[in-house]
Structure formats: structure tokens, C-alpha cells
Amino acid sequence: MPSVTDRYDPLDAEILRDPYPVLAELREHAPVFWHTGMDSWVLTRYEDSVRVLRDHETFARDPRRNGGTVPEPSLSVQTLDPPQQSPVRSLFMTALRAQDLAGVEDRAHLLVGERLDQLAEGGPFDVVAEIAVPLSVAVVADLLGVEPPLYEEFAAVSDAIMRSMDGGLTPALVEPGRVARQQLSDLVDSWFAASARPGLLARVQQATAPGAEALTRLYVKNTARVMFQGGYSTMAAAIGNAVHTLLAHPGALDQMRDRALLATGVDELVRFDGPVQGTTRTAVRSCRIGGVEIAPGQKVVPQFAAANRDPAAFTRADDLVLDRTPNQHLGYGWGPHSCIGSTVAQAGLRALVTAFNDHPAQLVAAGEGVRRRTATMRAFDTLPAALLV
């Protein structure tokens, strides 16, 4: 029988359906193992993953620290390491804190409510196309203060970018991803050139010194692109996963009418079955993790889905515990490269859950969902549901 490490193919249909049994075996028997397809060491325990995410001096996000190169469109807050990253991240975090996030959440709640009214008049519908995509585009555009792009067109661009994250496993995905990033960069350029509406983007532009060097302006524009694409794709995937989890746990949605359970529950939904499955770092010096020697230049992948179910970090790790606190999951990353928009993602999920509970129709499953064949992002292609009036 093949070993558990040989059986771990993140694109295998059964693992896409439910990766958690195999990830539990890996945590137990091979917490640090070499994956040939990823050309990386994969970490499955929470403690090891947090160590790598915190220690940016030993583990680089920026390939240039190991002699690699980064194409200009990829130079953003997500590829830079501290201290070079710090001014750009601080600029965006300060602008984010100045936004009316309660207003963003209220408008998201209204949008979902309107769509549920429309959907309740028909039969089964696809949660991804009818709720996750429009809600995610609307929330991120609202936050940035830009005109939302057409849902279907942007979804196609985002999908190409998201799939290209698996370029190491499927090289043919790299070029379509590059083209899509350029398309999105052109869209962001048009936002910066236009008269900005109130929002995060206008705040960032105002705070960027007029005489800022060209490289800084490039970082800012690219980070805006990453925020839109990353925020959209992560939220859309999180919404699909969250709805699937709620459908599979009768009573959970109703319990979240309690405001306290709503606050902790949206975080628990992300821990339980989160969208981002992992991230990559490169060792800049020799180190040892879990008894394994990591050489300089070797890649390391903290596997978030495995870490978030680690019983050493979470009691009842395989259960949905809506009042879990504290809940220091890795669904939004950790450390200097954690998701800038995690508070916005939480607001979007709260709006979604509240809108479902406020609507007179009952949400029910209407068939099996189809998982997207991607390793880096755990998402649905389609998720059928219905509203019973």
C-alpha cells in the first residue's frame, strides 16, 4: 500500500472532496515531508507552520533574497519581506482602519437580501454564481471605492489568476495567469487615473507622497490589484465553503442568530473549512523543523488546512464549534504577510449569515457541489441550493 505521503495528491478528486483524513494521517506520521510535485517541504502541524510564518528572517517570501527574480507586476505587499514591506503594508492598513466597515457590511447584507428575494421565486440555484461571486465583487469594490467590474468577466480573470497559483503542479496554468494579471493591472491603472470615489484607494492615493519614487508607486498599485483579486477570490471561496458547512450542520445557521455566536462563528467557519490551503516560503539559511534538515534555497509550505485541524492547537479540532475562543487559526495567514482584508472578509461573512437568517425562506441543499480542481485555494465551482418558502 502506498505511504500516506505518496497518497497525498492535492488535486486528487477524493482529496478535493475531503482532504482532512489524509492531512490527519500526515500530521501524525509525516508532519514534515517532501512533496515532489510541489518541489517543497510540506508542514502539517500548527506549531511548525506558525514558526515559519513568523520568522521572516529565516523564511523568505521575496524570491530575490535567494537570488531569484520577481516580475514587476508581482512586486506587492505580498511578495516583499520586512523591513521593505513595512511602509506599504502600513499605508494600506492605516487606510483600511479609516473605512466605514459597518457601512460596507450593511450594504453587503442588503445585496444578499435582495438576491435571496429574487432566488426565492425560482427553483434551485448555484450559490457560487448567484451569491458568492456578486457579493465578493461588490464588497471589495465598495471597500476600495471603485466601480464593480462585470461579475462574469471578472470571475473569469480571477479564476485564471487563482489557477496559476498551482503552476508548480500544472505548468500550463502559468501563462494564462500572467495574461490575466496584466488585464487586472490595466483595470487598476484605470482606477488610479480616474477621479477616485471615497474609499480605501482614494485614501491610499492621498497618503502616497507626491514625490514618491516610481518603485513605491508600483508597489502601491500592485498591492491594490492584489487586494482586489485576493480579496475577491478568497471571499468567494470562503462563502462557498461556509454555505456548504452550514448546510451540512443543521441548526448551525439558526444558532448564529445570537450576535455573540455570529461574531465567533464566522471565524470558526474559516478555520473549519477555509479557502486558502497554504503558502510558500524559501529558507535563506539552514534550519531544522520537526527533525528535518531544511537547506538554504529549499521551499517550505505551511499547510493551513492541516494546521487548522491540529488537535494540539484546537480542542475538538474536527468539530464545528461556533463559540470557539480564542481561535487563532491560519485561515488568513499569520505575521507580516497575513491577509490585509481579514476584517472585511469577516464583515462579508457576517452579512451573508445575517441575511440568510433574516430571510423568511429556508436555505436547503439541492444536490452535490463540484469542487474546483485547485490546490492552493479550496473552493467550489458550483454548489446547488434552494430556498424553501
Side-chain angles (χ1 to χ4, degrees):
M1 181 177 178
S3 68
V4 64
T5 55
D6 290 335
R7 286 190 285 118
Y8 181 63
D9 173 4
L11 297 178
D12 176 79
E14 184 58 27
I15 290 178
L16 287 171
R17 188 189 68 80
D18 183 6
Y20 299 105
V22 171
L23 294 178
E25 283 189 69
L26 289 167
R27 268 197 319 269
E28 180 68 23
H29 302 292
V32 181
F33 69 97
W34 182 259
H35 193 281
T36 303
M38 298 182 189
D39 191 31
S40 305
W41 293 103
V42 179
L43 315 181
T44 56
R45 290 183 178 169
Y46 182 89
E47 183 180 6
D48 294 335
S49 297
V50 170
R51 173 191 165 187
V52 168
L53 296 174
R54 279 179 169 167
D55 187 0
H56 59 266
E57 293 184 359
T58 303
F59 301 100
R61 176 78 173 189
D62 190 338
R64 295 173 298 180
R65 292 175 57 194
N66 287 84
T69 59
V70 182
E72 277 198 353
S74 296
L75 287 169
S76 74
V77 72
Q78 286 294 64
T79 50
L80 301 172
D81 283 325
Q84 189 180 21
Q85 178 217 49
S86 303
V88 182
R89 184 176 176 87
S90 176
L91 176 66
F92 276 83
M93 291 301 296
T94 300
L96 178 63
R97 285 190 287 268
Q99 302 310 303
D100 176 17
L101 296 185
V104 171
E105 184 171 343
D106 288 343
R107 289 185 289 274
H109 176 270
L110 182 63
L111 183 149
V112 177
E114 291 173 346
R115 295 197 75 83
L116 293 179
D117 287 342
Q118 297 164 2
L119 294 167
E121 298 174 359
F125 62 91
D126 177 16
V127 170
V128 176
E130 299 294 344
I131 296 178
V133 169
L135 175 59
S136 302
V137 171
V139 166
V140 180
D142 190 3
L143 174 71
L144 293 183
V146 300
E147 190 67 28
L150 295 175
Y151 297 151
E152 291 184 4
E153 291 181 11
F154 179 72
V157 170
S158 174
D159 183 61
I161 294 173
M162 186 172 71
R163 290 181 186 278
S164 72
M165 296 177 188
D166 295 336
L169 293 169
T170 312
L173 299 172
V174 173
E175 179 59 16
R178 185 198 66 77
V179 172
R181 282 187 181 86
Q182 186 56 56
Q183 290 177 290
L184 186 52
S185 292
D186 292 342
L187 179 61
V188 172
D189 285 342
S190 72
W191 291 339
F192 273 89
S195 298
R197 300 185 333 200
L200 186 144
L201 214 57
R203 187 90 180 191
V204 166
Q205 286 182 280
Q206 292 165 9
T208 304
E213 62 181 40
L215 195 57
T216 299
R217 293 197 300 272
L218 177 68
Y219 292 156
V220 168
K221 282 191 177 183
N222 287 348
T223 298
R225 188 200 75 233
V226 167
M227 277 199 74
F228 197 92
Q229 153 59 20
Y232 159 79
S233 61
T234 302
M235 187 179 296
I239 289 169
N241 293 348
V243 171
H244 179 258
T245 297
L246 292 170
L247 289 171
H249 291 77
L253 184 61
D254 189 61
Q255 290 176 49
M256 292 174 76
R257 293 180 188 275
D258 182 316
R259 297 297 296 182
L261 281 183
L262 175 66
T264 56
V266 294
D267 246 2
E268 176 67 353
L269 288 169
V270 173
R271 181 204 69 86
F272 184 79
D273 194 23
V276 182
Q277 296 296 278
T279 188
T280 302
R281 299 290 186 270
T282 305
V284 297
R285 57 194 180 198
S286 298
C287 58
R288 191 175 181 86
I289 304 177
V292 173
E293 292 289 340
I294 311 293
Q298 288 188 324
K299 291 186 291 185
V300 176
V301 175
Q303 223 286 356
F304 295 165
N308 283 341
R309 295 285 191 102
D310 188 344
F314 302 96
T315 57
R316 297 174 56 197
D318 287 321
D319 294 339
L320 184 72
V321 182
L322 294 177
D323 62 351
R324 188 183 297 278
T325 182
N327 192 355
Q328 295 179 314
H329 63 78
L330 304 184
Y332 301 118
W334 193 283
H337 292 96
S338 61
C339 175
I340 291 176
S342 58
T343 54
V344 184
Q346 290 168 321
L349 286 172
R350 284 195 302 268
L352 175 82
V353 170
T354 304
F356 277 134
N357 276 329
D358 287 348
H359 201 272
Q362 179 188 2
L363 180 73
V364 296
E368 288 291 323
V370 176
R371 283 285 180 184
R372 182 163 295 181
R373 194 171 182 270
T374 51
T376 304
M377 191 76 73
R378 179 164 171 76
F380 280 95
D381 264 334
T382 58
L383 180 61
L387 292 168
L388 298 183
V389 181

